[in-house]
């Protein structure tokens, strides 16, 4: 008897690939923790800005106008998780460069 949850003619890998290309926030293997957190935080902030009820509730809680609250949220979207981390040096690339230098000598 066939599995009722598997669609005929479709593979799971193809469905996952489609989701990743359609929704960039889902991430992939190469996404760093910082990039994922930044994307997630920006999505949250944009939701807060676009939903008026959430925005007005935040404005009441912070005792500020709706426009000022919207401006603060939009400013946070520039770098929501702080400065990006320094790029890590790839050990394999350093080793390969050292081997190439030794061979050149």
């Amino acid at each position: 008897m066939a599995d009722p949850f598997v669609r005929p003619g479709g593979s799971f890998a193809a469905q996952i690939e489609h989701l990743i290309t359609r929704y960039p926030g889902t991430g992939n293997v190469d996404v760093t923790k910082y990039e994922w957190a930044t994307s997630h935080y920006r999505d949250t902030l944009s939701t807060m800005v676009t939903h008026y009820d959430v925005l007005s509730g935040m404005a009441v809680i912070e005792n500020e106008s709706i426009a000022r609250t919207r401006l603060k949220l939009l400013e946070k979207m520039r770098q929501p998780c702080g400065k990006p981390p320094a790029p890590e040096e790839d050990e394999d690339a350093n080793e390969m460069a050292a081997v190439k230098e030794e061979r050149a000598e």
Side-chain angles (χ1 to χ4, degrees), residues 1-48:
M1 186 168 171
D3 189 0
F5 298 107
V6 177
R7 293 183 181 167
S11 70
F12 183 70
Q15 292 173 1
I16 293 295
E17 187 174 334
H18 172 70
L19 285 174
I20 289 172
T21 56
R22 186 169 180 188
Y23 304 107
T26 55
N28 59 21
V29 183
D30 300 328
V31 174
T32 63
K33 183 177 180 180
Y34 175 80
E35 291 172 345
W36 183 86
T38 301
S39 175
H40 182 74
Y41 201 59
R42 281 189 179 140
D43 287 347
T44 303
L45 290 172
S46 66
T47 300
M48 290 177 186

Side-chain angles (χ1 to χ4, degrees), residues 27-104:
N28 59 21
V29 183
D30 300 328
V31 174
T32 63
K33 183 177 180 180
Y34 175 80
E35 291 172 345
W36 183 86
T38 301
S39 175
H40 182 74
Y41 201 59
R42 281 189 179 140
D43 287 347
T44 303
L45 290 172
S46 66
T47 300
M48 290 177 186
V49 169
T50 55
H51 288 87
Y52 185 79
D53 294 338
V54 174
L55 184 64
S56 62
M58 288 181 64
V60 169
I61 291 169
E62 294 178 358
N63 196 23
E64 292 191 0
S65 68
I66 293 173
R68 186 175 303 267
T69 305
R70 178 181 283 128
L71 180 66
K72 282 184 177 181
L73 292 174
L74 290 173
E75 287 175 350
K76 281 184 188 179
M77 288 177 73
R78 285 188 198 157
Q79 284 188 332
C81 297
K83 294 182 179 179
E88 296 178 9
E89 293 186 17
D90 190 11
E91 293 179 14
D92 294 333
N94 292 338
E95 289 176 12
M96 293 178 80
V99 170
K100 286 181 182 179
E101 288 176 9
E102 290 177 6
R103 289 183 182 171

